[in-house]
Amino acid sequence: MTVGSVETVPTCAYPGCEMPAEAPAPGAQGPAPHFCPDPEHNSLGAFRKIRAKRQQRKEDKRVATEAKKAAKKAAKEGQAPAVEQQPWAAASAETPATGTTSGTETAPPASEQDTASEQDVVAAQDVDGEMAALMAMTTAEGDRAAQSRDALVALIEQLVTELPGYIEELAVITDSAAAEARIETVTRACAQRILAAEARAALAEEAGDMAVAALDAAQEKFTEETTAIREETARQVADAEFVRAELERYRERVSTLEVRLDAVRDEADELRRERAARPTADQGQPRPAGR
């Protein structure tokens, strides 16, 4: 029962977040949410966080490996002087063997005894040098062992530090519910984007149809207006031509009338002159008797 209650109220799947997961919406279908209400805590954010941790662990591992190599190199450099002292120790170990004599032989003379004493002193010094070399080698081996132990402890601490991350990664990878949630989230986001794209395409198509219809109507109206303007212009031009022709005809009539008027004036002047000249002629002639 306790396990069931823990499963029904899980914590956020985001690495390092201890908040409870967001409660599913009433009537929502599909798996329950695996992240808290924080907008940055989602499948993509968790993947980026895990990837950053993995890269950090790789970097720490590389640094630890370089430190281990540097420790091994330092241990080898510290062991080199002790190894160089070993041939001297071997030579000193061989020297006393040449100076030993059998107990059955006769006692050497005083000069040979002095030489043997000197050889014993040299042998003792060589033994001391060999012991010092062995101590140096032991110290170097101890330092190398200590460095190896420190490197091993560092690797164990690093493994202890990285182990929760690996376990968390493994849990995220093997969690079918989280995988389903991610797939559902991605599928839902893709479906929403597809619906939004289809809606935008439908709106764009509708707007395009409306624009084409408006353009056709405007073109038809422009054609009608242009035709009407052309007809009106042609009618006005015809009217202007008719008016011009009428003006020319009126001008010709006016000219004819002016000519006739001039002729009538000339006749009237001539008649006036004749009438004015006729009484003087009548006065010069005698009147008939019966009158």
Side-chain angles (χ1 to χ4, degrees):
M1 296 301 293
T2 306
V3 175
S5 63
V6 172
E7 290 181 355
T8 54
V9 187
T11 57
C12 181
Y14 190 83
C17 182
E18 300 295 336
M19 296 293 293
E22 186 177 3
Q29 298 179 357
H34 292 268
F35 297 94
C36 63
D38 192 343
E40 295 183 357
H41 290 186
N42 48 32
S43 301
L44 182 60
F47 174 74
R48 290 177 176 173
K49 187 73 172 180
I50 293 172
R51 183 175 61 182
K53 284 186 177 181
R54 187 185 300 115
Q55 292 178 355
Q56 184 64 32
R57 286 194 295 269
K58 288 182 180 179
E59 183 67 20
D60 295 340
K61 187 176 181 181
R62 185 183 64 80
V63 173
T65 304
E66 291 180 356
K68 186 177 179 181
K69 289 181 180 180
K72 287 183 178 180
K73 185 176 180 181
K76 288 181 180 179
E77 291 177 354
Q79 186 181 358
V83 174
E84 291 177 355
Q85 292 177 2
Q86 288 181 1
W88 296 96
S92 64
E94 294 176 356
T95 303
T98 58
T100 57
T101 57
S102 175
T104 58
E105 294 179 356
T106 58
S111 61
E112 292 181 358
Q113 290 180 359
D114 294 336
T115 303
S117 299
E118 293 177 357
Q119 290 179 354
D120 292 337
V121 172
V122 172
Q125 293 178 354
D126 291 339
V127 170
D128 294 336
E130 186 177 358
M131 291 298 294
L134 289 175
M135 290 295 294
M137 289 179 63
T138 304
T139 303
E141 290 293 335
D143 294 338
R144 185 171 63 181
Q147 292 174 357
S148 299
R149 183 182 62 81
D150 294 338
L152 181 60
V153 170
L155 289 176
I156 292 172
E157 291 178 352
Q158 182 180 358
L159 179 61
V160 170
T161 303
E162 294 179 354
L163 188 59
Y166 287 118
I167 294 174
E168 184 179 1
E169 255 185 70
L170 184 61
V172 172
I173 293 172
T174 57
D175 189 1
S176 60
E180 290 179 1
R182 290 183 182 179
I183 294 172
E184 182 67 21
T185 302
V186 173
T187 305
R188 190 177 300 171
C190 291
Q192 291 177 356
R193 290 180 180 177
I194 291 172
L195 290 175
E198 290 179 353
R200 288 195 297 269
L203 290 175
E205 186 175 358
E206 185 178 357
D209 294 338
M210 293 175 62
V212 170
L215 181 62
D216 293 337
Q219 186 175 2
E220 185 178 357
K221 184 177 179 181
F222 176 76
T223 304
E224 293 177 355
E225 291 179 353
T226 304
T227 304
I229 291 171
R230 287 177 179 175
E231 292 176 356
E232 183 68 22
T233 303
R235 187 169 58 253
Q236 291 179 359
V237 170
D239 293 342
E241 292 293 335
F242 176 76
V243 171
R244 186 179 294 110
E246 289 292 328
L247 287 175
E248 291 295 333
R249 189 166 60 85
Y250 286 144
R251 285 176 182 175
E252 291 178 357
R253 290 182 63 183
V254 168
S255 299
T256 304
L257 291 174
E258 287 179 353
V259 172
R260 291 179 62 182
L261 182 60
D262 291 337
V264 170
R265 287 177 179 175
D266 293 338
E267 290 178 359
D269 291 337
E270 185 177 356
L271 290 174
R272 191 178 297 111
R273 284 194 299 272
E274 288 179 357
R275 187 177 296 173
R278 185 177 297 170
T280 56
D282 290 340
Q283 290 178 1
Q285 292 180 3
R287 296 183 177 179
R291 297 181 181 179

